[in-house]
């Protein structure tokens, strides 16, 4: 049985007869392949990722598992359509708190059309993309059984300032997320620790300092964790995943300095939640 | 006695009655203060650098020594004009090979005027700035007593591709610089080694991962060395310096991910000269 994902925080959504991703009960996430070259690019990326021995295993775990492409009834009722069959990253979480962080101080790239570049540049300048090297493009934070999730509107999220980003990164790991003075009580276990978010980001950073295979333009970094799992001591406490590869281009022997600068900036923000200055 | 610097590879030059920097015999470099806010910014930057205890000593050595501002007869004959009195970085070199690398994948910044942003963006896209995270904006490579320096024209330098940059970084440390198969014989001592260029760049990189005081927009990284000094075993073998701070803005608690991405990219290029892939 295919259904609309419960925990999607950004991107096109399969509601009100729109085209969007679907999930099933077996833990798979089906993303409709975009009809233009973006779909081709994303499929090619997942294929090369599965076959490419240049991406080491400890890095491959940051990407959703890829199960191939599959023809499925599209969510907008337009009939059969190819979908990417991927791991549903939220499926093993009950009430996941999720941050979707679009990486890089630019989302455009020289190979794109002028019209696309102008549109991206405009959005990069009006969000924190240029100033911080990343922008939060969606989020949900689980508050409690009673109040459920805090999930600000797309418009509110795009209007985030650097200060808002700082506050959200603190609220994300707090038991009193709705408070203006978040307690950050989950920070040491979720952001910190030997397998925490910060260590995972540092591992990715080290790879980006060296890898010249891909430039991950407009790719998002998902940060997920489950407050209840943390309270019960279940692992993994927090997960980092990379998603959205419709604008990936070949690295041609040059590192992805755009993604790298952004992840270094994000690392600094998260370090400061752990060790306030 | 003030004279025109012999080893300037980029920027305005004090020749043919133009306004440009001057040097004297005591090892000082006098840079005319620009009349608009750029001059004010650069002066303020040097002043805060000298007074700011937040910049550690091992990082301060990457900046030219600042001796204050000084009224001098301008090189264009327009009369007395305030100049920045700086260390002449080339003064202790006989025949310095010099690379001027403008850092960052963008030279503009949100606080600049729209007109300036458009102009920078255009140039960033037509040079390697966007693709590599830096562009070579000037260079001279000492070849021999007979042939002197190889100093390509400003136009040729701005047309450099990624491949040209790779070749220049190899020629820079070769005894046969004019050859298409440079021998890279100076690479181990100049780029490599415990006090080499690579180590200096890594030290700067570590600082940029943490510092949120300044964003060094449009700043250049100078790489200097003297083939004859290297052959005679004189130290320092190679020097890294930062120059041009007319577009520095406050960091406001955010790292300079633009400069950082660029220096990581440059580090990768230089590593590959040391350990060809």
């Amino acid at each position: 049985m295919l259904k609309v994902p419960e925990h999607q925080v950004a991107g096109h959504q399969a509601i009100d007869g729109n085209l969007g991703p679907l999930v099933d009960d077996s833990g798979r996430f089906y993303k409709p392949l975009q009809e233009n070259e973006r779909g081709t690019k994303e499929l090619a990326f997942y294929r090369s990722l599965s076959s490419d021995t240049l991406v080491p295993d400890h890095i491959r775990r940051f990407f959703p598992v890829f199960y191939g492409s599959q023809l499925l009834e599209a969510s907008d009722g337009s009939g059969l359509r190819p979908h990417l069959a991927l791991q549903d990253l939220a499926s093993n979480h009950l009430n996941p708190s999720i941050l979707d962080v679009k990486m890089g101080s630019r989302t455009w790239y020289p190979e794109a059309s002028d019209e696309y570049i102008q549109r991206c540049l405009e959005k990069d300048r009006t969000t924190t993309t240029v100033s911080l090297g990343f922008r939060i493009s969606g989020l949900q934070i689980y508050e409690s059984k009673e109040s459920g999730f805090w999930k600000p509107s797309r418009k509110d999220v795009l209007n985030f300032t650097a200060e808002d980003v700082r506050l959200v990164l603190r609220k994300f790991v707090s038991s009193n997320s709705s408070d203006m003075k978040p307690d950050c009580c989950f920070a040491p276990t979720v952001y910190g620790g030997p397998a925490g978010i910060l260590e995972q980001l540092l591992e990715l950073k080290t790879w980006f300092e060296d890898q010249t295979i891909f430039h991950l333009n407009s790719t998002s970094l998902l940060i997920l964790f489950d407050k209840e799992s943390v309270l019960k001591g279940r692992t993994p406490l927090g997960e980092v995943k990379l998603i959205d590869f419709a604008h990936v281009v070949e690295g041609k022997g040059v590192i992805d300095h755009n993604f790298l600068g952004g992840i270094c900036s994000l690392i600094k923000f998260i370090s400061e939640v752990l060790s306030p200055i």
Side-chain angles (χ1 to χ4, degrees), chain A:
Chain A
M1 265 299 290
L2 295 173
K3 57 185 181 191
V4 175
E6 215 176 325
H7 300 299
Q8 202 187 333
V9 299
H12 302 285
Q13 291 192 295
I15 41 171
D16 304 327
N18 289 315
L19 183 64
L22 298 165
V23 292
D24 66 13
D25 289 331
S26 76
R28 294 197 178 186
F29 181 93
Y30 302 96
K31 182 176 177 176
L33 215 59
Q34 291 178 72
E35 270 169 346
N36 47 29
E37 56 159 1
R38 292 178 199 175
T40 327
K41 263 191 190 163
E42 190 153 31
L43 180 59
F45 175 77
Y46 274 111
R47 281 194 176 137
S48 79
L49 194 65
S50 340
S51 65
D52 202 336
T53 52
L54 291 172
V55 179
D57 288 338
H58 74 281
I59 295 301
R60 197 162 300 156
R61 73 185 170 101
F62 290 114
F63 295 89
V65 180
F66 172 58
Y67 301 105
S69 65
Q70 207 167 313
L71 274 181
L72 288 181
E73 199 67 44
S75 67
D76 60 355
S78 62
L80 283 175
R81 192 191 173 101
H83 287 65
L84 294 165
L86 302 166
Q87 174 191 8
D88 179 6
L89 300 171
S91 71
N92 54 352
H93 293 277
L94 193 60
N95 293 306
S97 292
I98 306 176
L99 286 180
D100 181 307
V101 188
K102 200 183 266 281
M103 301 302 292
S105 71
R106 60 175 159 76
T107 55
W108 58 274
Y109 45 104
E111 297 86 344
S113 71
D114 271 351
E115 187 250 328
Y116 179 80
I117 292 177
Q118 278 312 316
R119 204 149 29 93
C120 286
L121 193 55
E122 174 68 22
K123 202 160 175 181
D124 294 350
R125 288 178 65 183
T126 53
T127 61
T128 64
T129 288
V130 169
S131 56
L132 305 190
F134 64 84
R135 67 172 175 253
I136 296 180
S137 51
L139 76 110
Q140 66 176 26
I141 297 179
Y142 184 67
E143 294 188 332
S144 65
K145 216 174 228 175
E146 295 71 38
S147 54
F149 288 94
W150 175 54
K151 193 172 178 175
S153 74
R154 190 174 167 71
K155 191 168 156 274
D156 283 349
V157 170
L158 288 178
N159 283 328
F160 277 174
T161 62
E163 271 322 299
D164 295 329
V165 169
R166 273 195 188 94
L167 187 60
V168 161
L169 289 173
R170 294 170 58 80
K171 284 187 170 184
F172 189 66
V173 289
S174 291
S175 67
N176 59 341
S177 304
S178 51
D179 205 290
M180 282 307 286
K181 286 210 186 300
D183 58 21
C184 297
C185 74
F186 298 111
T189 41
V190 174
Y191 287 161
I197 299 294
L198 189 59
E199 274 307 311
Q200 294 180 57
L201 294 176
L202 288 167
E203 211 171 324
L204 266 176
K205 172 194 162 222
T206 302
W207 184 60
F208 274 96
E209 284 172 351
D210 189 56
Q211 76 88 9
T212 59
I213 321 163
F214 307 117
H215 285 190
L216 305 189
N217 304 302
S218 265
T219 287
S220 278
L221 196 146
L222 276 194
I223 303 180
L224 299 94
F225 91 102
D226 213 316
K227 284 185 185 175
E228 281 158 49
S229 297
V230 172
L231 290 171
K232 286 173 186 152
R234 280 195 214 124
T235 54
L237 298 174
E239 290 181 279
V240 169
K241 298 285 176 184
L242 294 170
I243 58 163
D244 294 346
F245 308 105
H247 297 283
V248 169
V249 298
E250 279 180 38
K252 295 180 186 163
V254 178
I255 65 164
D256 188 351
H257 48 84
N258 181 51
F259 190 106
L260 179 57
I263 201 168
C264 289
S265 177
L266 180 61
I267 284 169
K268 178 73 175 171
F269 274 83
I270 289 184
S271 307
E272 286 179 355
V273 179
L274 281 165
S275 324
I277 38 172

